């Protein structure tokens, strides 16, 4: 599965997600650049799911936060959400993503 929301040459945008088991009263928090692919992995449709989600399949996406321009920003939000338990993870109010630093204006720099 490919992430259709990103242009090919764009840097990956990181998403923090909360999964909810449809079978057990459990949630799981993670980060990814491709939420559809990651959900398929957690549900066992593709290789690479987390061991913690083998029980409780199938999983559904209950909340998404982001996109974040860097993995470090997404990891900070993931850590904050993981400190919460159960439904409190779904009520989390994530901070707005920090903008990427803009590239220097090379066009005007040559005229100086």
């Amino acid at each position: 599965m490919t992430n259709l929301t990103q242009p090919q040459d764009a840097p990956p945008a990181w998403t923090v997600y909360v999964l909810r088991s449809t079978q057990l009263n459990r949630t799981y928090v993670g980060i990814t650049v491709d939420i559809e692919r990651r959900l398929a992995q957690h549900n066992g449709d593709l290789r690479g799911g987390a061991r913690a989600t083998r029980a409780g399949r199938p999983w559904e996406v209950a909340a998404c936060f982001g996109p974040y321009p860097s993995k470090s920003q997404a990891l900070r939000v993931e850590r904050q959400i993981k400190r919460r338990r159960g439904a409190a993870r779904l009520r989390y109010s994530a901070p707005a993503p920090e903008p990427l630093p803009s590239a220097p204006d090379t066009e005007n720099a040559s005229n100086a």
Side-chain angles (χ1 to χ4, degrees), residues 15-21 26-32 35 39 42 53 59-65 77-78 80-82 84-92:
T15 301
V16 180
Y17 61 92
V18 181
L19 300 181
R20 179 179 28 224
S21 169
R26 292 182 49 202
T27 57
Y28 176 87
V29 181
I31 68 170
T32 187
I35 190 70
L39 179 61
H42 285 298
T53 59
W59 293 84
E60 63 187 12
V61 177
C64 284
F65 305 96
V77 172
E78 179 192 35
Q80 291 295 317
I81 296 170
K82 282 186 173 185
R84 298 165 181 261
R85 291 288 170 240
R89 290 177 167 180
L90 305 178
R91 293 188 303 267
Y92 180 76

PDB file of all heavy atoms in Angstrom, residues 15-21 26-32 35 39 42 53 59-65 77-78 80-82 84-92:
ATOM      1  N   THR A  15       2.502  10.491  11.354  1.00  0.00           N
ATOM      2  CA  THR A  15       1.199  10.505  12.006  1.00  0.00           C
ATOM      3  C   THR A  15       1.277   9.665  13.270  1.00  0.00           C
ATOM      4  O   THR A  15       1.861   8.587  13.268  1.00  0.00           O
ATOM      5  CB  THR A  15       0.119   9.907  11.071  1.00  0.00           C
ATOM      6  OG1 THR A  15       0.082  10.685   9.868  1.00  0.00           O
ATOM      7  CG2 THR A  15      -1.247   9.915  11.722  1.00  0.00           C
ATOM      8  N   VAL A  16       0.693  10.188  14.343  1.00  0.00           N
ATOM      9  CA  VAL A  16       0.543   9.426  15.586  1.00  0.00           C
ATOM     10  C   VAL A  16      -0.864   8.850  15.554  1.00  0.00           C
ATOM     11  O   VAL A  16      -1.825   9.554  15.234  1.00  0.00           O
ATOM     12  CB  VAL A  16       0.728  10.320  16.822  1.00  0.00           C
ATOM     13  CG1 VAL A  16       0.575   9.509  18.105  1.00  0.00           C
ATOM     14  CG2 VAL A  16       2.077  11.028  16.779  1.00  0.00           C
ATOM     15  N   TYR A  17      -1.010   7.550  15.839  1.00  0.00           N
ATOM     16  CA  TYR A  17      -2.322   6.922  15.761  1.00  0.00           C
ATOM     17  C   TYR A  17      -2.630   6.154  17.033  1.00  0.00           C
ATOM     18  O   TYR A  17      -1.735   5.697  17.744  1.00  0.00           O
ATOM     19  CB  TYR A  17      -2.409   5.990  14.540  1.00  0.00           C
ATOM     20  CG  TYR A  17      -1.407   4.855  14.564  1.00  0.00           C
ATOM     21  CD1 TYR A  17      -1.729   3.625  15.120  1.00  0.00           C
ATOM     22  CD2 TYR A  17      -0.127   5.022  14.046  1.00  0.00           C
ATOM     23  CE1 TYR A  17      -0.822   2.586  15.148  1.00  0.00           C
ATOM     24  CE2 TYR A  17       0.788   3.991  14.067  1.00  0.00           C
ATOM     25  CZ  TYR A  17       0.441   2.778  14.619  1.00  0.00           C
ATOM     26  OH  TYR A  17       1.354   1.757  14.662  1.00  0.00           O
ATOM     27  N   VAL A  18      -3.919   6.044  17.320  1.00  0.00           N
ATOM     28  CA  VAL A  18      -4.409   5.219  18.421  1.00  0.00           C
ATOM     29  C   VAL A  18      -5.318   4.166  17.805  1.00  0.00           C
ATOM     30  O   VAL A  18      -6.272   4.497  17.092  1.00  0.00           O
ATOM     31  CB  VAL A  18      -5.184   6.039  19.466  1.00  0.00           C
ATOM     32  CG1 VAL A  18      -5.666   5.145  20.605  1.00  0.00           C
ATOM     33  CG2 VAL A  18      -4.340   7.186  20.006  1.00  0.00           C
ATOM     34  N   LEU A  19      -4.994   2.911  18.052  1.00  0.00           N
ATOM     35  CA  LEU A  19      -5.831   1.804  17.599  1.00  0.00           C
ATOM     36  C   LEU A  19      -6.689   1.319  18.752  1.00  0.00           C
ATOM     37  O   LEU A  19      -6.280   1.391  19.910  1.00  0.00           O
ATOM     38  CB  LEU A  19      -4.976   0.629  17.109  1.00  0.00           C
ATOM     39  CG  LEU A  19      -4.028   0.882  15.957  1.00  0.00           C
ATOM     40  CD1 LEU A  19      -3.284  -0.404  15.613  1.00  0.00           C
ATOM     41  CD2 LEU A  19      -4.761   1.418  14.752  1.00  0.00           C
ATOM     42  N   ARG A  20      -7.879   0.810  18.403  1.00  0.00           N
ATOM     43  CA  ARG A  20      -8.773   0.214  19.400  1.00  0.00           C
ATOM     44  C   ARG A  20      -9.109  -1.190  18.920  1.00  0.00           C
ATOM     45  O   ARG A  20      -9.477  -1.382  17.754  1.00  0.00           O
ATOM     46  CB  ARG A  20     -10.028   1.057  19.542  1.00  0.00           C
ATOM     47  CG  ARG A  20     -11.024   0.512  20.522  1.00  0.00           C
ATOM     48  CD  ARG A  20     -12.276   1.355  20.705  1.00  0.00           C
ATOM     49  NE  ARG A  20     -12.609   2.131  19.526  1.00  0.00           N
ATOM     50  CZ  ARG A  20     -12.982   3.411  19.553  1.00  0.00           C
ATOM     51  NH1 ARG A  20     -13.083   4.045  20.691  1.00  0.00           N
ATOM     52  NH2 ARG A  20     -13.278   4.054  18.441  1.00  0.00           N
ATOM     53  N   SER A  21      -8.980  -2.159  19.815  1.00  0.00           N
ATOM     54  CA  SER A  21      -9.325  -3.530  19.487  1.00  0.00           C
ATOM     55  C   SER A  21     -10.839  -3.658  19.408  1.00  0.00           C
ATOM     56  O   SER A  21     -11.559  -3.119  20.250  1.00  0.00           O
ATOM     57  CB  SER A  21      -8.795  -4.481  20.562  1.00  0.00           C
ATOM     58  OG  SER A  21      -9.335  -5.775  20.382  1.00  0.00           O
ATOM     59  N   ARG A  26      -8.891  -2.787  24.689  1.00  0.00           N
ATOM     60  CA  ARG A  26      -7.499  -2.370  24.653  1.00  0.00           C
ATOM     61  C   ARG A  26      -7.280  -1.314  23.587  1.00  0.00           C
ATOM     62  O   ARG A  26      -7.994  -1.267  22.581  1.00  0.00           O
ATOM     63  CB  ARG A  26      -6.580  -3.553  24.351  1.00  0.00           C
ATOM     64  CG  ARG A  26      -6.545  -4.567  25.472  1.00  0.00           C
ATOM     65  CD  ARG A  26      -5.602  -5.709  25.197  1.00  0.00           C
ATOM     66  NE  ARG A  26      -4.297  -5.249  24.759  1.00  0.00           N
ATOM     67  CZ  ARG A  26      -3.438  -5.991  24.062  1.00  0.00           C
ATOM     68  NH1 ARG A  26      -3.758  -7.219  23.732  1.00  0.00           N
ATOM     69  NH2 ARG A  26      -2.273  -5.521  23.708  1.00  0.00           N
ATOM     70  N   THR A  27      -6.239  -0.491  23.816  1.00  0.00           N
ATOM     71  CA  THR A  27      -5.802   0.475  22.816  1.00  0.00           C
ATOM     72  C   THR A  27      -4.304   0.282  22.583  1.00  0.00           C
ATOM     73  O   THR A  27      -3.609  -0.322  23.399  1.00  0.00           O
ATOM     74  CB  THR A  27      -6.049   1.932  23.265  1.00  0.00           C
ATOM     75  OG1 THR A  27      -5.376   2.162  24.500  1.00  0.00           O
ATOM     76  CG2 THR A  27      -7.535   2.229  23.407  1.00  0.00           C
ATOM     77  N   TYR A  28      -3.828   0.793  21.451  1.00  0.00           N
ATOM     78  CA  TYR A  28      -2.417   0.731  21.101  1.00  0.00           C
ATOM     79  C   TYR A  28      -2.061   2.057  20.442  1.00  0.00           C
ATOM     80  O   TYR A  28      -2.829   2.576  19.627  1.00  0.00           O
ATOM     81  CB  TYR A  28      -2.152  -0.428  20.130  1.00  0.00           C
ATOM     82  CG  TYR A  28      -0.724  -0.492  19.658  1.00  0.00           C
ATOM     83  CD1 TYR A  28       0.238  -1.176  20.384  1.00  0.00           C
ATOM     84  CD2 TYR A  28      -0.330   0.166  18.495  1.00  0.00           C
ATOM     85  CE1 TYR A  28       1.560  -1.222  19.959  1.00  0.00           C
ATOM     86  CE2 TYR A  28       0.983   0.128  18.066  1.00  0.00           C
ATOM     87  CZ  TYR A  28       1.923  -0.563  18.805  1.00  0.00           C
ATOM     88  OH  TYR A  28       3.219  -0.597  18.380  1.00  0.00           O
ATOM     89  N   VAL A  29      -0.893   2.615  20.792  1.00  0.00           N
ATOM     90  CA  VAL A  29      -0.447   3.895  20.244  1.00  0.00           C
ATOM     91  C   VAL A  29       0.841   3.679  19.473  1.00  0.00           C
ATOM     92  O   VAL A  29       1.741   2.969  19.920  1.00  0.00           O
ATOM     93  CB  VAL A  29      -0.204   4.929  21.371  1.00  0.00           C
ATOM     94  CG1 VAL A  29       0.233   6.264  20.794  1.00  0.00           C
ATOM     95  CG2 VAL A  29      -1.441   5.096  22.225  1.00  0.00           C
ATOM     96  N   GLY A  30       0.951   4.305  18.288  1.00  0.00           N
ATOM     97  CA  GLY A  30       2.162   4.197  17.482  1.00  0.00           C
ATOM     98  C   GLY A  30       2.301   5.382  16.545  1.00  0.00           C
ATOM     99  O   GLY A  30       1.451   6.275  16.517  1.00  0.00           O
ATOM    100  N   ILE A  31       3.394   5.388  15.772  1.00  0.00           N
ATOM    101  CA  ILE A  31       3.613   6.413  14.757  1.00  0.00           C
ATOM    102  C   ILE A  31       3.924   5.739  13.428  1.00  0.00           C
ATOM    103  O   ILE A  31       4.420   4.612  13.397  1.00  0.00           O
ATOM    104  CB  ILE A  31       4.749   7.398  15.123  1.00  0.00           C
ATOM    105  CG1 ILE A  31       6.108   6.705  15.118  1.00  0.00           C
ATOM    106  CG2 ILE A  31       4.478   8.069  16.453  1.00  0.00           C
ATOM    107  CD1 ILE A  31       7.280   7.662  15.226  1.00  0.00           C
ATOM    108  N   THR A  32       3.624   6.427  12.338  1.00  0.00           N
ATOM    109  CA  THR A  32       3.876   5.886  11.008  1.00  0.00           C
ATOM    110  C   THR A  32       3.846   7.001   9.974  1.00  0.00           C
ATOM    111  O   THR A  32       3.358   8.098  10.266  1.00  0.00           O
ATOM    112  CB  THR A  32       2.830   4.813  10.637  1.00  0.00           C
ATOM    113  OG1 THR A  32       3.201   4.187   9.413  1.00  0.00           O
ATOM    114  CG2 THR A  32       1.438   5.406  10.509  1.00  0.00           C
ATOM    115  N   ILE A  35      -0.516   5.179   7.370  1.00  0.00           N
ATOM    116  CA  ILE A  35      -1.448   4.603   8.343  1.00  0.00           C
ATOM    117  C   ILE A  35      -2.173   3.369   7.798  1.00  0.00           C
ATOM    118  O   ILE A  35      -2.390   2.405   8.533  1.00  0.00           O
ATOM    119  CB  ILE A  35      -2.448   5.671   8.855  1.00  0.00           C
ATOM    120  CG1 ILE A  35      -3.268   5.141  10.038  1.00  0.00           C
ATOM    121  CG2 ILE A  35      -3.346   6.186   7.769  1.00  0.00           C
ATOM    122  CD1 ILE A  35      -2.495   4.965  11.294  1.00  0.00           C
ATOM    123  N   LEU A  39      -1.889  -0.229   9.695  1.00  0.00           N
ATOM    124  CA  LEU A  39      -3.068  -0.916  10.208  1.00  0.00           C
ATOM    125  C   LEU A  39      -3.139  -2.343   9.655  1.00  0.00           C
ATOM    126  O   LEU A  39      -3.440  -3.284  10.391  1.00  0.00           O
ATOM    127  CB  LEU A  39      -4.341  -0.145   9.854  1.00  0.00           C
ATOM    128  CG  LEU A  39      -5.653  -0.776  10.323  1.00  0.00           C
ATOM    129  CD1 LEU A  39      -5.688  -0.907  11.848  1.00  0.00           C
ATOM    130  CD2 LEU A  39      -6.833   0.036   9.815  1.00  0.00           C
ATOM    131  N   HIS A  42      -0.742  -4.422  11.670  1.00  0.00           N
ATOM    132  CA  HIS A  42      -1.263  -4.752  13.002  1.00  0.00           C
ATOM    133  C   HIS A  42      -2.341  -5.826  12.924  1.00  0.00           C
ATOM    134  O   HIS A  42      -2.447  -6.669  13.816  1.00  0.00           O
ATOM    135  CB  HIS A  42      -1.830  -3.503  13.684  1.00  0.00           C
ATOM    136  CG  HIS A  42      -0.791  -2.569  14.192  1.00  0.00           C
ATOM    137  ND1 HIS A  42       0.129  -2.912  15.155  1.00  0.00           N
ATOM    138  CD2 HIS A  42      -0.526  -1.270  13.877  1.00  0.00           C
ATOM    139  CE1 HIS A  42       0.915  -1.877  15.414  1.00  0.00           C
ATOM    140  NE2 HIS A  42       0.540  -0.862  14.647  1.00  0.00           N
ATOM    141  N   THR A  53      -0.071  -6.233  19.379  1.00  0.00           N
ATOM    142  CA  THR A  53      -1.384  -6.185  18.728  1.00  0.00           C
ATOM    143  C   THR A  53      -1.807  -7.525  18.137  1.00  0.00           C
ATOM    144  O   THR A  53      -2.843  -7.596  17.481  1.00  0.00           O
ATOM    145  CB  THR A  53      -1.419  -5.095  17.629  1.00  0.00           C
ATOM    146  OG1 THR A  53      -0.414  -5.378  16.651  1.00  0.00           O
ATOM    147  CG2 THR A  53      -1.222  -3.718  18.222  1.00  0.00           C
ATOM    148  N   TRP A  59      -8.078  -4.700  14.674  1.00  0.00           N
ATOM    149  CA  TRP A  59      -7.920  -3.365  15.243  1.00  0.00           C
ATOM    150  C   TRP A  59      -8.514  -2.347  14.288  1.00  0.00           C
ATOM    151  O   TRP A  59      -8.552  -2.568  13.080  1.00  0.00           O
ATOM    152  CB  TRP A  59      -6.442  -3.059  15.465  1.00  0.00           C
ATOM    153  CG  TRP A  59      -5.821  -3.922  16.510  1.00  0.00           C
ATOM    154  CD1 TRP A  59      -5.312  -5.171  16.338  1.00  0.00           C
ATOM    155  CD2 TRP A  59      -5.664  -3.617  17.887  1.00  0.00           C
ATOM    156  NE1 TRP A  59      -4.841  -5.659  17.534  1.00  0.00           N
ATOM    157  CE2 TRP A  59      -5.044  -4.729  18.496  1.00  0.00           C
ATOM    158  CE3 TRP A  59      -5.976  -2.521  18.675  1.00  0.00           C
ATOM    159  CZ2 TRP A  59      -4.741  -4.764  19.852  1.00  0.00           C
ATOM    160  CZ3 TRP A  59      -5.674  -2.549  20.027  1.00  0.00           C
ATOM    161  CH2 TRP A  59      -5.059  -3.653  20.611  1.00  0.00           C
ATOM    162  N   GLU A  60      -8.966  -1.224  14.840  1.00  0.00           N
ATOM    163  CA  GLU A  60      -9.454  -0.118  14.019  1.00  0.00           C
ATOM    164  C   GLU A  60      -8.779   1.163  14.468  1.00  0.00           C
ATOM    165  O   GLU A  60      -8.378   1.286  15.634  1.00  0.00           O
ATOM    166  CB  GLU A  60     -10.975   0.013  14.116  1.00  0.00           C
ATOM    167  CG  GLU A  60     -11.472   0.336  15.516  1.00  0.00           C
ATOM    168  CD  GLU A  60     -12.982   0.311  15.639  1.00  0.00           C
ATOM    169  OE1 GLU A  60     -13.662  -0.169  14.712  1.00  0.00           O
ATOM    170  OE2 GLU A  60     -13.476   0.780  16.675  1.00  0.00           O
ATOM    171  N   VAL A  61      -8.634   2.103  13.554  1.00  0.00           N
ATOM    172  CA  VAL A  61      -8.044   3.395  13.901  1.00  0.00           C
ATOM    173  C   VAL A  61      -9.097   4.191  14.653  1.00  0.00           C
ATOM    174  O   VAL A  61     -10.188   4.457  14.136  1.00  0.00           O
ATOM    175  CB  VAL A  61      -7.572   4.160  12.648  1.00  0.00           C
ATOM    176  CG1 VAL A  61      -7.037   5.523  13.031  1.00  0.00           C
ATOM    177  CG2 VAL A  61      -6.519   3.367  11.900  1.00  0.00           C
ATOM    178  N   ALA A  62      -8.791   4.553  15.899  1.00  0.00           N
ATOM    179  CA  ALA A  62      -9.721   5.300  16.729  1.00  0.00           C
ATOM    180  C   ALA A  62      -9.407   6.794  16.743  1.00  0.00           C
ATOM    181  O   ALA A  62     -10.303   7.615  16.937  1.00  0.00           O
ATOM    182  CB  ALA A  62      -9.697   4.755  18.160  1.00  0.00           C
ATOM    183  N   ALA A  63      -8.127   7.156  16.532  1.00  0.00           N
ATOM    184  CA  ALA A  63      -7.739   8.573  16.521  1.00  0.00           C
ATOM    185  C   ALA A  63      -6.415   8.713  15.791  1.00  0.00           C
ATOM    186  O   ALA A  63      -5.581   7.803  15.814  1.00  0.00           O
ATOM    187  CB  ALA A  63      -7.606   9.105  17.946  1.00  0.00           C
ATOM    188  N   CYS A  64      -6.243   9.850  15.126  1.00  0.00           N
ATOM    189  CA  CYS A  64      -4.983  10.189  14.451  1.00  0.00           C
ATOM    190  C   CYS A  64      -4.608  11.614  14.822  1.00  0.00           C
ATOM    191  O   CYS A  64      -5.486  12.474  14.943  1.00  0.00           O
ATOM    192  CB  CYS A  64      -5.132  10.112  12.938  1.00  0.00           C
ATOM    193  SG  CYS A  64      -5.161   8.454  12.282  1.00  0.00           S
ATOM    194  N   PHE A  65      -3.323  11.851  14.986  1.00  0.00           N
ATOM    195  CA  PHE A  65      -2.816  13.182  15.304  1.00  0.00           C
ATOM    196  C   PHE A  65      -1.689  13.501  14.337  1.00  0.00           C
ATOM    197  O   PHE A  65      -0.830  12.676  14.080  1.00  0.00           O
ATOM    198  CB  PHE A  65      -2.305  13.235  16.751  1.00  0.00           C
ATOM    199  CG  PHE A  65      -3.337  12.802  17.762  1.00  0.00           C
ATOM    200  CD1 PHE A  65      -3.364  11.505  18.230  1.00  0.00           C
ATOM    201  CD2 PHE A  65      -4.301  13.685  18.197  1.00  0.00           C
ATOM    202  CE1 PHE A  65      -4.310  11.095  19.145  1.00  0.00           C
ATOM    203  CE2 PHE A  65      -5.265  13.288  19.115  1.00  0.00           C
ATOM    204  CZ  PHE A  65      -5.266  11.987  19.594  1.00  0.00           C
ATOM    205  N   VAL A  77       4.743  13.431  20.813  1.00  0.00           N
ATOM    206  CA  VAL A  77       3.291  13.324  20.982  1.00  0.00           C
ATOM    207  C   VAL A  77       2.922  11.894  21.366  1.00  0.00           C
ATOM    208  O   VAL A  77       2.104  11.680  22.264  1.00  0.00           O
ATOM    209  CB  VAL A  77       2.566  13.776  19.696  1.00  0.00           C
ATOM    210  CG1 VAL A  77       1.072  13.493  19.787  1.00  0.00           C
ATOM    211  CG2 VAL A  77       2.818  15.256  19.437  1.00  0.00           C
ATOM    212  N   GLU A  78       3.538  10.903  20.724  1.00  0.00           N
ATOM    213  CA  GLU A  78       3.273   9.503  21.061  1.00  0.00           C
ATOM    214  C   GLU A  78       3.546   9.241  22.542  1.00  0.00           C
ATOM    215  O   GLU A  78       2.751   8.590  23.224  1.00  0.00           O
ATOM    216  CB  GLU A  78       4.142   8.586  20.204  1.00  0.00           C
ATOM    217  CG  GLU A  78       3.939   7.110  20.521  1.00  0.00           C
ATOM    218  CD  GLU A  78       4.990   6.222  19.888  1.00  0.00           C
ATOM    219  OE1 GLU A  78       6.158   6.642  19.788  1.00  0.00           O
ATOM    220  OE2 GLU A  78       4.652   5.085  19.526  1.00  0.00           O
ATOM    221  N   GLN A  80       3.439  11.359  25.029  1.00  0.00           N
ATOM    222  CA  GLN A  80       2.401  11.987  25.846  1.00  0.00           C
ATOM    223  C   GLN A  80       1.122  11.156  25.853  1.00  0.00           C
ATOM    224  O   GLN A  80       0.478  11.000  26.890  1.00  0.00           O
ATOM    225  CB  GLN A  80       2.097  13.402  25.317  1.00  0.00           C
ATOM    226  CG  GLN A  80       3.202  14.397  25.528  1.00  0.00           C
ATOM    227  CD  GLN A  80       3.448  14.667  26.999  1.00  0.00           C
ATOM    228  OE1 GLN A  80       2.505  14.823  27.773  1.00  0.00           O
ATOM    229  NE2 GLN A  80       4.701  14.718  27.385  1.00  0.00           N
ATOM    230  N   ILE A  81       0.751  10.626  24.700  1.00  0.00           N
ATOM    231  CA  ILE A  81      -0.476   9.827  24.613  1.00  0.00           C
ATOM    232  C   ILE A  81      -0.308   8.503  25.350  1.00  0.00           C
ATOM    233  O   ILE A  81      -1.224   8.043  26.030  1.00  0.00           O
ATOM    234  CB  ILE A  81      -0.863   9.591  23.136  1.00  0.00           C
ATOM    235  CG1 ILE A  81      -1.199  10.933  22.471  1.00  0.00           C
ATOM    236  CG2 ILE A  81      -2.051   8.634  23.027  1.00  0.00           C
ATOM    237  CD1 ILE A  81      -1.369  10.841  20.964  1.00  0.00           C
ATOM    238  N   LYS A  82       0.875   7.889  25.263  1.00  0.00           N
ATOM    239  CA  LYS A  82       1.099   6.606  25.930  1.00  0.00           C
ATOM    240  C   LYS A  82       1.042   6.716  27.445  1.00  0.00           C
ATOM    241  O   LYS A  82       0.825   5.716  28.130  1.00  0.00           O
ATOM    242  CB  LYS A  82       2.440   6.007  25.500  1.00  0.00           C
ATOM    243  CG  LYS A  82       2.370   5.369  24.132  1.00  0.00           C
ATOM    244  CD  LYS A  82       3.650   4.652  23.790  1.00  0.00           C
ATOM    245  CE  LYS A  82       3.478   3.876  22.499  1.00  0.00           C
ATOM    246  NZ  LYS A  82       4.651   3.061  22.176  1.00  0.00           N
ATOM    247  N   ARG A  84      -1.262   8.122  28.985  1.00  0.00           N
ATOM    248  CA  ARG A  84      -2.681   8.008  29.312  1.00  0.00           C
ATOM    249  C   ARG A  84      -3.125   6.566  29.104  1.00  0.00           C
ATOM    250  O   ARG A  84      -2.451   5.794  28.451  1.00  0.00           O
ATOM    251  CB  ARG A  84      -3.497   8.945  28.425  1.00  0.00           C
ATOM    252  CG  ARG A  84      -3.128  10.391  28.625  1.00  0.00           C
ATOM    253  CD  ARG A  84      -3.664  11.242  27.490  1.00  0.00           C
ATOM    254  NE  ARG A  84      -3.297  12.622  27.681  1.00  0.00           N
ATOM    255  CZ  ARG A  84      -4.106  13.528  28.193  1.00  0.00           C
ATOM    256  NH1 ARG A  84      -5.330  13.216  28.530  1.00  0.00           N
ATOM    257  NH2 ARG A  84      -3.696  14.776  28.353  1.00  0.00           N
ATOM    258  N   ARG A  85      -4.287   6.235  29.610  1.00  0.00           N
ATOM    259  CA  ARG A  85      -4.803   4.872  29.479  1.00  0.00           C
ATOM    260  C   ARG A  85      -6.207   4.885  28.887  1.00  0.00           C
ATOM    261  O   ARG A  85      -6.989   5.790  29.155  1.00  0.00           O
ATOM    262  CB  ARG A  85      -4.846   4.172  30.849  1.00  0.00           C
ATOM    263  CG  ARG A  85      -3.470   3.886  31.398  1.00  0.00           C
ATOM    264  CD  ARG A  85      -2.830   2.761  30.587  1.00  0.00           C
ATOM    265  NE  ARG A  85      -1.432   2.596  30.910  1.00  0.00           N
ATOM    266  CZ  ARG A  85      -0.451   2.731  30.023  1.00  0.00           C
ATOM    267  NH1 ARG A  85      -0.693   3.055  28.797  1.00  0.00           N
ATOM    268  NH2 ARG A  85       0.800   2.536  30.374  1.00  0.00           N
ATOM    269  N   GLY A  86      -6.506   3.870  28.098  1.00  0.00           N
ATOM    270  CA  GLY A  86      -7.847   3.644  27.577  1.00  0.00           C
ATOM    271  C   GLY A  86      -8.438   4.812  26.816  1.00  0.00           C
ATOM    272  O   GLY A  86      -7.805   5.398  25.941  1.00  0.00           O
ATOM    273  N   ALA A  87      -9.667   5.181  27.174  1.00  0.00           N
ATOM    274  CA  ALA A  87     -10.399   6.235  26.470  1.00  0.00           C
ATOM    275  C   ALA A  87      -9.736   7.599  26.615  1.00  0.00           C
ATOM    276  O   ALA A  87      -9.922   8.469  25.773  1.00  0.00           O
ATOM    277  CB  ALA A  87     -11.837   6.289  26.969  1.00  0.00           C
ATOM    278  N   ALA A  88      -8.928   7.792  27.648  1.00  0.00           N
ATOM    279  CA  ALA A  88      -8.220   9.068  27.811  1.00  0.00           C
ATOM    280  C   ALA A  88      -7.259   9.298  26.646  1.00  0.00           C
ATOM    281  O   ALA A  88      -6.975  10.444  26.290  1.00  0.00           O
ATOM    282  CB  ALA A  88      -7.470   9.099  29.141  1.00  0.00           C
ATOM    283  N   ARG A  89      -6.776   8.235  26.038  1.00  0.00           N
ATOM    284  CA  ARG A  89      -5.901   8.372  24.865  1.00  0.00           C
ATOM    285  C   ARG A  89      -6.677   8.972  23.685  1.00  0.00           C
ATOM    286  O   ARG A  89      -6.103   9.684  22.874  1.00  0.00           O
ATOM    287  CB  ARG A  89      -5.340   7.010  24.458  1.00  0.00           C
ATOM    288  CG  ARG A  89      -4.332   6.472  25.436  1.00  0.00           C
ATOM    289  CD  ARG A  89      -3.856   5.101  25.036  1.00  0.00           C
ATOM    290  NE  ARG A  89      -2.679   4.729  25.799  1.00  0.00           N
ATOM    291  CZ  ARG A  89      -2.043   3.584  25.676  1.00  0.00           C
ATOM    292  NH1 ARG A  89      -2.465   2.681  24.799  1.00  0.00           N
ATOM    293  NH2 ARG A  89      -0.982   3.330  26.412  1.00  0.00           N
ATOM    294  N   LEU A  90      -7.958   8.676  23.607  1.00  0.00           N
ATOM    295  CA  LEU A  90      -8.769   9.182  22.507  1.00  0.00           C
ATOM    296  C   LEU A  90      -9.159  10.639  22.714  1.00  0.00           C
ATOM    297  O   LEU A  90      -9.443  11.349  21.754  1.00  0.00           O
ATOM    298  CB  LEU A  90     -10.024   8.323  22.339  1.00  0.00           C
ATOM    299  CG  LEU A  90      -9.787   6.832  22.154  1.00  0.00           C
ATOM    300  CD1 LEU A  90     -11.104   6.095  22.039  1.00  0.00           C
ATOM    301  CD2 LEU A  90      -8.910   6.584  20.944  1.00  0.00           C
ATOM    302  N   ARG A  91      -9.173  11.088  23.950  1.00  0.00           N
ATOM    303  CA  ARG A  91      -9.546  12.469  24.253  1.00  0.00           C
ATOM    304  C   ARG A  91      -8.351  13.418  24.264  1.00  0.00           C
ATOM    305  O   ARG A  91      -8.502  14.601  24.510  1.00  0.00           O
ATOM    306  CB  ARG A  91     -10.249  12.530  25.610  1.00  0.00           C
ATOM    307  CG  ARG A  91     -11.594  11.834  25.631  1.00  0.00           C
ATOM    308  CD  ARG A  91     -12.344  12.093  26.924  1.00  0.00           C
ATOM    309  NE  ARG A  91     -11.594  11.681  28.097  1.00  0.00           N
ATOM    310  CZ  ARG A  91     -11.691  10.488  28.690  1.00  0.00           C
ATOM    311  NH1 ARG A  91     -12.511   9.580  28.195  1.00  0.00           N
ATOM    312  NH2 ARG A  91     -10.989  10.194  29.757  1.00  0.00           N
ATOM    313  N   TYR A  92      -7.171  12.909  23.994  1.00  0.00           N
ATOM    314  CA  TYR A  92      -5.954  13.723  24.013  1.00  0.00           C
ATOM    315  C   TYR A  92      -6.054  14.853  23.003  1.00  0.00           C
ATOM    316  O   TYR A  92      -6.535  14.679  21.889  1.00  0.00           O
ATOM    317  CB  TYR A  92      -4.733  12.844  23.696  1.00  0.00           C
ATOM    318  CG  TYR A  92      -3.435  13.598  23.702  1.00  0.00           C
ATOM    319  CD1 TYR A  92      -2.832  13.977  24.887  1.00  0.00           C
ATOM    320  CD2 TYR A  92      -2.813  13.944  22.507  1.00  0.00           C
ATOM    321  CE1 TYR A  92      -1.636  14.668  24.899  1.00  0.00           C
ATOM    322  CE2 TYR A  92      -1.611  14.636  22.504  1.00  0.00           C
ATOM    323  CZ  TYR A  92      -1.033  14.994  23.708  1.00  0.00           C
ATOM    324  OH  TYR A  92       0.144  15.688  23.704  1.00  0.00           O
TER     325      TYR A  92
END
